[in-house]
Amino acid sequence: MKIDVLTLFPEMFRPVTEESILGRAKENGILDVRLTNIRDFSQSKHKKADDYPFGGGAGMVMLADPIFRALEHVEAKEKKILYMSPRGRLLDKELVGELSQRSELVILCGHYEGIDQRIIDHWEMEEVSVGDYILTGGELPAMIVIDAVARMIPEVLGSSNAHYEESIYSGLLEYPQYTKPREYAGMEVPEVLVSGNHKLIHLWQFEKSLELTRQRRPDLWEAYVRAEKNLTKDEKKILQKMLESSDG
């Protein structure tokens, strides 16, 4: 997958895109994140990229011309273009899945008070939000998009189904995890996890995922209960027991 990122601060991305899983994906030719500095396309002497908004108001607005030129430079017209914006569609697993099917993406990072609306209109951008809060710029949200989408590419995690086994994508929150030593500060790892009985381990993990989801994310719990699921006989018993306890 090729992702072009248009930003005023390209250096912010390098530690994220060149390390860990994303870094390995880049080295293996699976992910290609290309950074474009919007200021390079400003025609002003001082590489100006923003100005005061028409109609007044606090802050500055990013200029149309440098962004138009940057988009033309990356040949964005035939590609899916995202603009990171708090008023956009909320980034969720459905949207991440849709974006992961693309071979190319363009992500525009706004700054200050945003960008000239004509950029959004002309380039038919999809505005995407990572939550109901305001950040200094679109760079951090863009990194979230890149990381979330990249993990949906089978080769990135090394398994075509790995991402579906994780929290949220399975429909449930992830069960508790433990590692060595078996006892620490008076706390012990649950006995079932060191029993070697893989069936019992799986059922314990399933039950814990159900419990955590019911407690912390009622919305996910209700959706999971309503959805058709391909559960084993033992899994159905655990779920039914939990539903009965909820009713009680």
Side-chain angles (χ1 to χ4, degrees), residues 21 24-25 28 30 150-160 163:
I21 292 175
R24 290 196 296 272
N28 294 329
I30 302 168
R151 291 177 64 86
M152 294 290 284
I153 303 172
E155 297 85 352
V156 171
L157 294 182
S159 170
S160 59
H163 50 272

Side-chain angles (χ1 to χ4, degrees), residues 13-197:
F13 288 84
R14 302 195 194 281
V16 174
T17 60
E18 296 184 6
E19 301 292 338
S20 189
I21 292 175
L22 298 189
R24 290 196 296 272
K26 178 181 178 181
E27 291 176 1
N28 294 329
I30 302 168
L31 183 66
D32 183 13
V33 179
R34 302 185 181 186
L35 305 172
T36 297
N37 191 331
I38 295 169
R39 291 191 190 279
D40 292 343
F41 296 88
S42 174
Q43 298 190 86
S44 73
K45 179 180 178 180
H46 299 290
K47 298 298 180 181
K48 187 176 182 181
D50 61 281
D51 210 329
Y52 294 102
F54 283 121
M60 307 289 276
V61 175
M62 292 180 68
L63 295 164
D65 188 64
I67 295 177
F68 262 67
R69 292 177 181 276
L71 288 165
E72 290 165 354
H73 174 74
V74 300
E75 300 179 339
K77 195 61 178 177
E78 303 304 320
K79 302 173 185 177
K80 176 73 172 180
I81 309 174
L82 307 180
Y83 169 52
M84 306 312 303
S85 164
R87 69 185 187 187
R89 175 182 172 183
L90 188 65
L91 184 71
D92 56 17
K93 62 182 181 180
E94 285 76 25
L95 179 53
V96 170
E98 292 173 20
L99 297 176
S100 70
Q101 300 303 310
R102 300 270 181 170
S103 60
E104 294 186 274
L105 289 174
V106 178
I107 304 178
L108 172 61
C109 303
H111 220 73
Y112 314 118
E113 293 303 309
I115 66 174
D116 191 304
Q117 181 64 36
R118 290 169 291 188
I119 303 167
I120 299 170
D121 295 342
H122 177 82
W123 292 89
E124 299 179 338
M125 297 178 172
E126 178 168 8
E127 297 183 65
V128 175
S129 169
V130 296
D132 295 330
Y133 44 84
I134 306 298
L135 297 173
T136 304
E139 284 75 19
L140 290 175
M143 294 177 204
I144 293 173
V145 170
I146 294 169
D147 192 287
V149 170
R151 291 177 64 86
M152 294 290 284
I153 303 172
E155 297 85 352
V156 171
L157 294 182
S159 170
S160 59
N161 295 316
H163 50 272
Y164 288 112
E165 297 171 359
E166 294 180 316
S167 171
I168 299 297
Y169 294 123
S170 67
L172 297 171
L173 298 183
E174 191 173 33
Y175 48 81
Q177 298 276 13
Y178 299 87
T179 188
K180 296 178 180 179
R182 288 179 61 172
E183 187 275 333
Y184 184 77
M187 298 176 287
E188 294 188 0
V189 174
E191 188 64 30
V192 65
L193 297 181
V194 294
S195 68
N197 189 320

Side-chain angles (χ1 to χ4, degrees), residues 215-241:
Q215 292 169 6
R216 301 182 184 181
R217 289 291 302 274
D219 57 325
L220 291 180
W221 169 254
E222 292 297 329
Y224 187 81
V225 170
R226 290 195 305 268
E228 292 187 12
K229 298 169 289 296
N230 185 23
L231 300 180
T232 66
K233 182 179 179 180
D234 291 322
E235 289 171 338
K236 288 178 181 177
K237 287 182 179 178
I238 293 172
L239 177 59
Q240 185 60 38
K241 180 180 178 181

